[in-house]
Amino acid sequence: MSKKIFIILLILLSFPTIVSAHTTVSHSTPAEGEVIRNNLLEVTVNFTEEIEKISTIELLSKNNEIPFKRVTVEDNKLIGQLEKPLENGSYRINWNIIAQDGHPLTGEIPFTVEKEKEKEETNTVVVNENATPENIANDSTNIVITIIITILIAIILFGFIILGRKRG
């Protein structure tokens, strides 16, 4: 009898055991601890296995929730789209998923946003690249000559008008 039990145990132990591994985060955007320097409008968490559609994601800043415009689950990906880019500061992505094997899993991904401050708009003066002292003097001379010619034409026309009245 003990020989039969020994053979059964030997057969059972010779088969590989089935290990149920839970899904884990394969990568995310932003990554854990990442410093974001550009506008961020989408947060993505990728898992090693497919996740259930009821999985959720939230974004927190100083324990205040920043709402997503839309949250979608695509196979092994959890995506949160933002209404507007995030301001500078510390953030935390909290994710809650249900793995395909039915196990609920949670986690968090901290990151920081440090964008350069946008430069204030200033009045811009357009400068002629060919503006040398000689060119400026030539332009001024041309303007003066144009004014003198216009005045002379006006005097001549005025003279013709007065002479035409005296003759007539």
Side-chain angles (χ1 to χ4, degrees), residues 92-148:
R92 187 176 72 237
I93 301 167
N94 286 347
W95 52 267
N96 296 296
I97 65 162
I98 304 294
Q100 282 292 328
D101 62 6
H103 286 95
L105 300 168
T106 62
E108 65 179 46
I109 302 168
F111 67 96
T112 306
V113 175
E114 288 182 10
K115 299 184 291 188
E116 287 187 31
K117 296 199 181 212
E118 293 182 15
K119 296 176 184 169
E120 290 183 24
E121 195 173 307
T122 57
N123 292 333
T124 305
V125 177
V126 178
V127 177
N128 182 350
E129 293 177 2
N130 298 324
T132 62
E134 294 83 21
N135 289 344
I136 293 171
N138 288 341
D139 288 346
S140 298
T141 303
N142 290 340
I143 292 172
V144 171
I145 291 172
T146 304
I147 292 172
I148 291 172

Side-chain angles (χ1 to χ4, degrees), residues 143-157:
I143 292 172
V144 171
I145 291 172
T146 304
I147 292 172
I148 291 172
I149 291 173
T150 304
I151 291 172
L152 287 175
I153 292 173
I155 291 172
I156 293 171
L157 285 175

